[in-house]
Amino acid sequence: TKIFAYAIRKDEEPYLNEWKSAHKDIDVDYTGKLLTPDTAKLAKGADGVVVYQQLDYSADTLQALADVGVTKMSLRNVGVDNIDMKKAKELGFEITNVPVYSPDAIAEHAAIQAARILRQDKRMDAKMAKRDLRWAPTIGREVRDQVVGVVGTGHIGQVFMKIMEGFGAKVIAYDIYKNPELDKKGYYVDSLDDLYKQADVISLHVPDVPANVHMINDKSIKEMKDGVVIVNVSRGPLVDTDAVIRGLDSGKVFGFVMDTYEKEVGVFNKDWEGKEFPDKRLADLIDRPNVLVTPHTAFYTTHAVRNMVIRAFDNNLALVEGKKPASPVKLDA
Ligand code: NAD
Ligand code: COI
């Protein structure tokens, strides 16, 4: 049995080696390259592939993989929005993801960044760097004084709720599917509009499905409270970035946490030092004192990366051995 892995980073190698040591009978090979129509041939002879990338698993890429006889593909991450599902189904692909590798990693990042915005940390850091040690006007807002509105109470949203409650905030939530436990405890408001009207901090924890694209837009921002903090560590397309910029410019939006961005593919996780930065709007956001941009690193912890690698290989082995994997992806999703 042979498994071939794509886009393995240095920080993933120890966990890949750990899995290899525990599965000495399995032939494991890998590359640092992404899976593309060109690199698909590297998987020739393998029974399955383990992958992670933000680049699309396009119809051409899937076809190229099927052409070398590989149709069992295991993602090391959660999001499956970059797979051409129609083509995958047509070619008889079996796909798995790792839906829960460490919701805490992402929730914790969202909570830390939201708190930093409320305390105006970026402004204070900039003052410190200039040796300006005056207090005013960089006064903070306490988390416990905020109503925190959580949109999406799945794996990550639920951990975020607990952390924010730990700070003492009042937490309200909205989900198109009400979790019975949370419902019993009275967290849910009836509509997104209600959440927008009541929340001082709004954090998105929903998937990037067509219905959710630009759910944060001029109209929704207008409904929000003055001085709202918006947090998006989920997916860039959920937010109309220009609308948030208009909100920041008018002062309606107090701060914006963005770990994901509509145009992040090809820009995030690259070193632009000394090179022409390709996105003026993003450069402007990075420079703003009340915007915290991170390049999709909410997930990026040792705990999460280990689980992503080990669980993806476990899933792929199950697929190639004809067993039921822990987390199959529904191709008609
Ligand atoms: P999940 O599937 O466990 O939960 C998502 C929840 O959103 C579900 O309860 C669903 O019913 C709800 N939902 C869907 N549409 C909604 C809507 N319009 N309004 C209200 N609720 C809605 O997902 P998760 O694992 O918690 O992931 C949440 C988000 O985090 C996803 O977008 C995922 O891609 C993203 N994510 C980001 C990172 C990162 O590093 N930044 C890492 C992993 C996941
Ligand atoms: C996911 O797991 O879907 C993420 O968003 C994190 C990814 C950058 C590895």
Side-chain angles (χ1 to χ4, degrees):
T1 303
K2 181 172 175 181
I3 296 178
F4 189 80
Y6 283 91
I8 292 291
R9 304 180 307 268
K10 272 262 166 286
D11 56 272
E12 292 178 301
E13 279 176 358
Y15 309 122
L16 184 145
N17 289 330
E18 180 187 332
W19 193 88
K20 257 168 98 169
S21 303
H23 299 84
K24 291 207 164 62
D25 50 331
I26 312 294
D27 186 4
V28 175
D29 200 1
Y30 63 93
T31 175
K33 292 181 182 155
L34 300 178
L35 173 61
T36 64
D38 261 359
T39 61
K41 55 180 169 297
L42 297 173
K44 196 169 178 196
D47 301 286
V49 288
V50 168
V51 293
Y52 163 67
Q53 61 193 31
Q54 285 179 296
L55 189 70
D56 283 349
Y57 302 102
S58 65
D60 286 351
T61 298
L62 297 175
Q63 183 65 60
L65 208 52
D67 287 347
V68 295
V70 180
T71 52
K72 297 177 192 332
M73 183 166 92
S74 296
L75 274 59
R76 305 199 285 284
N77 64 309
V78 182
V80 294
D81 35 85
N82 56 343
I83 302 174
D84 186 325
M85 290 291 181
K86 197 165 155 262
K87 188 71 178 178
K89 201 169 176 186
E90 183 188 310
L91 293 170
F93 264 77
E94 286 177 86
I95 300 181
T96 59
N97 67 343
V98 186
V100 193
Y101 47 78
S102 179
D104 305 62
I106 299 107
E108 186 177 282
H109 180 84
I112 289 169
Q113 297 295 74
R116 289 184 64 215
I117 289 278
L118 291 167
R119 297 307 290 253
Q120 303 210 57
D121 271 358
K122 197 171 168 185
R123 280 201 174 92
M124 190 55 93
D125 288 348
K127 279 166 63 176
M128 295 297 287
K130 289 190 296 181
R131 305 292 182 265
D132 174 357
L133 306 195
R134 288 171 298 178
W135 301 347
T138 327
I139 192 163
R141 288 161 58 183
E142 292 183 32
V143 181
R144 66 175 170 152
D145 291 332
Q146 315 303 314
V147 175
V148 174
V150 179
V151 184
T153 56
H155 296 102
I156 298 168
Q158 282 183 45
V159 179
F160 180 76
M161 290 168 76
K162 277 202 193 116
I163 298 174
M164 293 316 257
E165 279 193 327
F167 272 112
K170 174 177 159 64
V171 173
I172 58 172
Y174 176 76
D175 197 304
I176 47 173
Y177 156 81
K178 281 187 184 168
N179 174 303
E181 288 299 309
L182 298 176
D183 198 16
K184 252 190 265 163
K185 292 182 183 155
Y187 284 109
Y188 291 111
V189 292
D190 291 333
S191 67
L192 266 181
D193 293 351
D194 284 348
L195 185 138
Y196 293 153
K197 282 195 185 81
Q198 293 176 43
D200 303 294
V201 175
I202 295 171
S203 194
L204 305 178
H205 300 285
V206 298
D208 173 20
V209 292
N212 292 345
V213 170
H214 283 191
M215 63 191 296
I216 300 294
N217 52 44
D218 285 306
K219 189 170 161 283
S220 55
I221 291 172
K222 210 166 157 198
E223 289 178 50
M224 295 173 193
K225 286 172 85 168
D226 289 343
V228 67
V229 174
I230 300 173
V231 180
N232 181 17
V233 300
S234 285
R235 282 292 181 268
L238 301 174
V239 171
D240 177 349
T241 311
D242 290 327
V244 173
I245 289 172
R246 283 188 282 275
L248 289 162
D249 286 342
S250 73
K252 170 94 186 175
V253 178
F254 182 79
F256 181 38
V257 172
M258 52 178 284
D259 185 56
T260 52
Y261 173 54
E262 290 182 87
K263 304 269 185 215
E264 71 180 58
V265 178
V267 182
F268 280 9
N269 202 11
K270 285 199 171 136
D271 183 5
W272 294 100
E273 194 179 355
K275 301 191 186 101
E276 194 183 342
F277 197 72
D279 185 327
K280 280 202 176 66
R281 180 175 65 173
L282 179 61
D284 165 63
L285 285 163
I286 291 172
D287 289 342
R288 286 178 186 241
N290 56 346
V291 176
L292 292 175
V293 181
T294 41
H296 210 136
T297 46
F299 84 100
Y300 193 49
T301 66
T302 50
H303 194 122
V305 171
R306 180 179 181 276
N307 282 346
M308 292 164 100
V309 172
I310 303 278
R311 291 182 191 172
F313 271 92
D314 283 348
N315 270 332
N316 204 247
L317 184 60
L319 284 182
V320 303
E321 288 184 339
K323 295 182 186 147
K324 204 172 167 294
S327 42
V329 171
K330 273 205 200 104
L331 294 192
D332 50 357

